[in-house]
Amino acid sequence: MSWYSVLQAILVTGVASGTVVLFAIVGEIVTEKSGICNLGIEGMMLMGACTGFGVAFHYNSIFLGVAVAGVVGLVLALIFAFLTITLRANQYVTGIALTIFGTGLSGMLGEELIGKSLTHSLPALPIPLLSKIPLLGPIFFSHNILVYLSYVLVICVWLFLNRTKYGLAVKATGEEPLASEIMGIHVIKIRYLCTIFGGFFAGVAGAYLSLCYTPFWVEKMTSGKGWIVIALVIFANWNPYYAFGGAFLFGILEAMQPRLQAMGFNVPTFLLNTIPYLATIAFLLYVNLRGRIAQTPKAIGVPYFRENRD
């Protein structure tokens, strides 16, 4: 196999692998832009992976599995929102508790699904003309419909945040919630909507993992990807376009592991498995050294008191 073929295979797999975290990253960007930091992504992804696989296995429908997984993520996010926005519980502690809850519940619910396999999968749908572009075509335009949906999501969220009055209201809520309320923006409502939006796509991310990327269920199959999502949101500077690049880089690093082993590199497996995570730490160090975290929403993690302004 030529080096060109190996490189293309790694990049193609990198896009597929990166899509797992891309859905969750874009959803979390919207959540954090409103001033809410949800550290429960890992738990929601696991619940999405478990319920999505279970529904697809029993009802023979991948799209139904993805939809149910999204709803499960939404419900968990709604619980998180009630605790942190309405009851003003600590966002970070609540998020960690949600991850622990999702990890345990998915393990219990998915016990009977271990060892099961799907009888069908989403077919690749090469986009006419675009898929024929040398190198770039196979890499970006020869995937299944969920990968293309992630592209659309990135573009739509960027346009929403930067080109609509509603997106500006979301960002204002994350920067100056009290001033936003005075200007007529319903801070509580926006934070609820943004949080459940992020939860929905965390569930979809989990479903994509168990239904498309690795079509099976095993306990804790996200392997920390939920925490990678949090890190890549910072790396992307809360920009959906940068999020696409960060997810793609993470996907490439993850895709390199089996390829390096197949090519005979005498590197311990446990060390290869740490490459994407070590790289993420390096990304964060770079971001801090370059001072690119200046766009952190100022009110993130801070409970908002409406002071009976109804």
Side-chain angles (χ1 to χ4, degrees):
M1 183 179 291
S2 66
W3 280 99
Y4 179 85
S5 299
V6 172
L7 175 62
Q8 179 174 291
I10 290 175
L11 295 177
V12 169
T13 307
V15 171
S17 176
T19 301
V20 177
V21 294
L22 183 58
F23 279 116
I25 293 171
V26 177
E28 181 64 11
I29 285 175
V30 175
T31 300
E32 294 194 11
K33 276 292 188 180
S34 73
I36 301 296
C37 181
N38 185 356
L39 297 184
I41 300 296
E42 179 84 356
M44 291 191 292
M45 286 180 67
L46 280 169
M47 284 297 296
C50 175
T51 56
F53 184 87
V55 169
F57 177 78
H58 289 294
Y59 294 96
N60 202 36
S61 173
I62 287 181
F63 289 110
L64 181 60
V66 172
V68 171
V71 172
V72 168
L74 184 153
V75 170
L76 291 175
L78 186 60
I79 295 172
F80 173 84
F82 176 74
L83 293 173
T84 58
I85 299 174
T86 301
L87 300 184
R88 297 191 288 270
N90 184 284
Q91 294 178 20
Y92 305 107
V93 174
T94 306
I96 292 172
L98 181 59
T99 286
I100 295 171
F101 172 75
T103 301
L105 184 60
S106 64
M108 182 184 70
L109 295 177
E111 187 173 0
E112 65 176 24
L113 298 173
I114 296 175
K116 300 290 194 301
S117 59
L118 299 176
T119 58
H120 57 291
S121 61
L122 285 182
L125 298 173
I127 298 178
L129 299 179
L130 293 178
S131 62
K132 301 299 182 182
I133 300 173
L135 189 61
L136 294 180
I139 294 172
F140 294 107
F141 305 113
S142 298
H143 295 276
N144 62 58
I145 192 170
L146 287 181
V147 175
Y148 302 143
L149 177 62
S150 73
Y151 301 167
V152 174
L153 180 65
V154 168
I155 296 171
C156 289
V157 168
W158 187 89
L159 290 173
F160 170 76
L161 290 175
N162 296 283
R163 294 292 185 269
T164 69
K165 64 178 182 179
Y166 302 107
L168 293 176
V170 169
K171 293 193 287 187
T173 297
E175 295 292 333
E176 297 289 348
L178 180 57
S180 300
E181 188 87 33
I182 292 172
M183 294 296 293
I185 296 173
H186 201 305
V187 173
I188 301 298
K189 179 180 179 180
I190 286 178
R191 288 189 168 183
Y192 259 94
L193 291 174
C194 290
T195 302
I196 63 177
F197 177 89
F200 179 86
F201 281 103
V204 170
Y208 176 84
L209 174 64
S210 64
L211 296 177
C212 300
Y213 185 64
T214 54
F216 58 83
W217 162 257
V218 64
E219 189 175 354
K220 299 179 182 178
M221 69 182 301
T222 52
S223 301
K225 287 182 175 62
W227 301 109
I228 294 296
V229 167
I230 303 298
L232 289 179
V233 168
I234 300 172
F235 170 74
N237 208 17
W238 292 268
N239 185 314
Y241 286 149
Y242 293 161
F244 178 83
F248 186 38
L249 286 174
F250 177 81
I252 291 173
L253 291 171
E254 192 169 56
M256 285 175 59
Q257 301 170 35
R259 294 289 174 180
L260 291 174
Q261 290 176 319
M263 293 169 64
F265 284 89
N266 188 23
V267 181
T269 302
F270 75 88
L271 184 58
L272 287 175
N273 291 336
T274 63
I275 289 177
Y277 304 94
L278 291 175
T280 302
I281 294 173
F283 291 157
L284 291 178
L285 289 174
Y286 170 78
V287 166
N288 279 277
L289 291 174
R290 296 286 294 179
R292 288 183 57 223
I293 60 173
Q295 294 186 25
T296 305
K298 288 196 298 184
I300 191 168
V302 180
Y304 174 64
F305 298 84
R306 292 191 61 185
E307 301 176 342
N308 296 321
R309 292 181 56 85
D310 293 317

